[in-house]
Amino acid sequence: MTLYRDEAVVLRTQKLGEADRIVTMLSREHGRIRGVAKGVRRTMSKFGARLEPGSHIDVQLHVGKTFDTVTQVEAIMNYGELLTEDYQRWTIASAILETAERFTAQEYEPALQEYLLLVGGLKALTENIHDPSLILDAFLLRSLAIGGYAPSMTICSRCEKPGPHRYFSLVGGGSVCAECRPSACATPAPETLSLMAALLTGDWASADSSENRNRREANGLIAAYLQWHLERGLRSLPLVERV
Ligand SMILES: [Zn+2]
């Protein structure tokens, strides 16, 4: 009997048969994994509420032919439960969980950076020190960066001419100079690009002092940029309430 143990965050669950669930998780060492939790939908389940989306857990699985089976779960922190009472933060948590799944294309491929980003993002949301909308945008930008798609906020992403430039390409690498700009371009305020750079590098002092209009513009640019880089759009992103 082959067992393995890891720390993980529950990304999603699906019903399986009468009483079971398939649980999709992003784990520290094994990347994205799926396990069957048997009897989890019965009221007396030994797993309790520990396998809900947003739960940070210590989990043990038994390797199976089609699916691994969850054999033990210990709660580390149930971020999902902490966030359910606040609609905006819950929808942001959902968008973060969905993004983490989409940016880990292969199961069992270690994705430590994305895992740490995920845990950090959920923790920041529950601490509620920063605007939740900024936390989401920082998470999206950094997930893009881990995937190798970080948009340029200064130099031209095509010819590398030093910036900042007036144009931002939504279907390319971000900032572009006047000579290189494609037809689908935005012309964001320079402060919006500075905000995005601050979110990408974790400069929260700058990000927290940004103005609402720049936050809104950054939201739009990041969402459009992300939707273009993912094959299918994120289902949960349009549900996020931006204040
Ligand atoms: Zn250029």
Side-chain angles (χ1 to χ4, degrees):
M1 174 154 151
T2 316
L3 290 170
Y4 63 99
R5 194 176 191 100
D6 208 338
E7 266 182 36
V9 173
V10 176
L11 301 178
R12 185 160 65 96
T13 67
Q14 295 154 270
K15 289 178 183 172
L16 178 69
E18 291 285 301
D20 306 340
R21 258 194 198 131
I22 301 170
V23 183
T24 302
M25 298 164 264
L26 182 57
S27 69
R28 177 185 274 273
E29 285 168 32
H30 298 81
R32 181 162 57 79
I33 54 178
R34 277 190 301 174
V36 172
K38 294 214 166 109
V40 73
R41 285 158 59 208
R42 295 188 209 283
T43 38
M44 296 302 286
S45 165
K46 62 175 176 172
F47 299 124
R50 281 164 282 175
L51 290 171
E52 298 295 329
S55 296
H56 186 196
I57 53 175
D58 186 308
V59 62
Q60 183 180 274
L61 295 109
H62 173 225
V63 177
K65 282 204 182 77
T66 351
F67 281 116
D68 297 349
T69 307
V70 176
T71 50
Q72 273 182 39
V73 183
E74 279 168 40
I76 297 172
M77 186 66 88
N78 192 338
Y79 293 111
E81 197 172 65
L82 292 171
L83 294 167
T84 47
E85 297 192 348
D86 180 329
Y87 180 78
Q88 190 207 14
R89 286 193 291 151
W90 171 244
T91 56
I92 285 174
S94 301
I96 285 177
L97 296 173
E98 189 186 352
T99 304
E101 180 169 358
R102 296 289 295 281
F103 274 88
T104 47
Q106 289 293 321
E107 288 187 339
Y108 301 100
E109 193 173 83
L112 180 62
Q113 280 183 294
E114 187 67 23
Y115 171 80
L116 295 174
L117 192 65
L118 171 63
V119 174
L122 293 174
K123 188 165 177 283
L125 265 186
T126 52
E127 288 170 348
N128 211 14
I129 298 167
H130 308 292
D131 175 356
S133 190
L134 290 180
I135 293 171
L136 174 60
D137 285 336
F139 180 84
L140 297 175
L141 279 172
R142 291 190 214 172
S143 290
L144 281 162
I146 292 169
Y149 307 116
S152 167
M153 262 74 86
T154 50
I155 63 162
C156 173
S157 57
R158 297 208 169 166
C159 72
E160 298 187 358
K161 187 175 169 185
H165 300 290
R166 213 170 111 66
Y167 303 99
F168 189 89
S169 166
L170 297 172
V171 296
S175 285
V176 276
C177 71
E179 287 81 56
C180 296
R181 73 187 176 108
S183 49
C185 255
T187 49
E191 295 84 358
T192 301
L193 291 178
S194 306
L195 168 59
M196 287 165 64
L199 292 173
L200 185 60
T201 54
D203 178 0
W204 282 102
S206 302
D208 287 338
S209 64
S210 62
E211 294 196 27
N212 277 335
R213 61 194 159 90
N214 300 119
R215 292 183 190 189
R216 273 195 304 275
E217 191 169 47
N219 289 163
L221 288 182
I222 294 164
Y225 190 83
L226 183 78
Q227 302 291 47
W228 191 80
H229 280 275
L230 293 173
E231 275 179 32
R232 291 170 287 124
L234 291 173
R235 275 172 300 121
S236 50
L237 202 55
L239 299 176
V240 171
E241 245 175 23
R242 304 288 198 165
V243 179

